[in-house]
Amino acid sequence: MSYEIPGALRPTVGRLLDPATHDELLRSSVRLARLAFRSGAASVFLYDRRRDELVFEASSGAGEDRLLGVSVPCDQGIVGWVWNTGETIIAHDLRRDPRFNREFAESTGFVPNEIMAGPLDLDGESIGVLEVLDPRLDGYGDTAAIELLTEITRQSSAALSLLVAARSLGPGLRAQQESDPLRRLDAALGRRDGKGRQAADALVTALAELLGERG
């Protein structure tokens, strides 16, 4: 059974296939993590299988404009530990924590004292890590804070998976749209003026009459 998308909903469906839509959703979930814990910064890392690295995909707070696209080896830092163990963690004293990569933190311009981090996964497959720097946990307690972070990681996982899917579908969908005869006709009509415009209008009128007769 086929289902035709109503015309009024087609722009919305187009947005669902637009990576920018899911990119904003992912950034929103990162901002939520930062605001919920009143932290200095929060970031989502996406696993790049080809490079075997974790890449800053979205960030909010200190250094957010500089971090996008920066990569971290999967075996380094708190983020690497979370990626490899699949466990959510609150690291309270980073000065004494051997897992903390202080050199990398200094390169970002933000050296935290505490880090919360949780794995992002979809259907049991790890896809990234959510990290919150210098969270304020007064009023939460570790258990409640981890529960809240877990809920935010679920939202971030969904947003990240949709973003990756939209990016992978994007080129093919754009090519399909560009090859659609009606879209090519519409583009051609938009480029015509004067006599060309009149001829194009006559063509459209003839097509409309033909379709009306067949209908």
Side-chain angles (χ1 to χ4, degrees), residues 25-36:
L25 179 60
L26 182 61
R27 289 198 301 268
S28 177
S29 68
V30 173
R31 287 194 296 268
L32 175 61
R34 180 177 62 83
L35 294 172

Side-chain angles (χ1 to χ4, degrees), residues 20 39 46 68 110 138 143 156 211:
S39 68
L46 172 64
L68 296 185
F110 189 117
D138 48 302
T143 300
S156 298
L211 292 174

Side-chain angles (χ1 to χ4, degrees), residues 8-215:
L9 293 180
R10 286 174 185 169
T12 301
V13 174
R15 286 194 292 272
L16 289 175
L17 299 174
D18 184 356
T21 299
H22 306 299
D23 187 54
E24 176 54 35
L25 179 60
L26 182 61
R27 289 198 301 268
S28 177
S29 68
V30 173
R31 287 194 296 268
L32 175 61
R34 180 177 62 83
L35 294 172
F37 294 106
R38 295 169 290 166
S39 68
S43 298
V44 158
F45 297 80
L46 172 64
Y47 177 61
D48 187 325
R49 188 180 303 277
R50 181 179 58 83
R51 295 155 56 185
D52 193 30
E53 292 179 329
L54 293 162
V55 182
F56 278 95
E57 189 62 42
S59 188
S60 176
E64 62 180 66
D65 296 330
R66 303 189 306 272
L67 294 176
L68 296 185
V70 174
S71 62
V72 183
C74 288
D75 60 350
Q76 293 186 19
I78 299 296
V79 64
W81 185 88
V82 170
W83 168 255
N84 284 287
T85 64
E87 296 182 18
T88 300
I89 186 176
I90 302 178
H92 287 290
D93 189 356
L94 296 177
R95 293 174 300 176
R96 301 180 181 179
D97 196 320
R99 297 168 296 188
F100 179 54
N101 188 339
R102 185 179 183 86
E103 182 179 353
F104 176 78
E106 290 175 344
S107 72
T108 69
F110 189 117
V111 181
N113 297 308
E114 291 184 293
I115 289 179
M116 289 183 66
L120 304 178
D121 61 81
L122 181 67
D123 297 330
E125 180 180 357
S126 297
I127 57 176
V129 175
L130 170 64
E131 192 173 69
V132 182
L133 308 183
D134 280 342
R136 295 182 60 180
L137 303 180
D138 48 302
Y140 283 110
D142 284 7
T143 300
I146 287 177
E147 289 178 351
L148 177 56
L149 183 66
T150 299
E151 288 302 315
I152 297 176
T153 59
R154 288 173 180 160
Q155 180 185 27
S156 298
S157 295
L160 187 56
S161 62
L162 289 171
L163 174 61
V164 172
R167 284 178 177 174
S168 64
L169 289 172
L173 287 172
R174 283 193 294 271
Q176 182 178 6
Q177 290 172 347
E178 290 170 358
S179 66
D180 182 79
L182 292 179
R183 288 182 179 272
R184 295 205 309 271
L185 176 60
D186 181 66
L189 293 177
R191 291 194 296 267
R192 293 182 179 274
D193 54 15
K195 292 182 179 180
R197 179 75 244 183
Q198 294 175 5
D201 289 342
L203 173 61
V204 172
T205 300
L207 286 172
E209 291 175 354
L210 177 61
L211 292 174
E213 290 175 0
R214 291 187 175 180

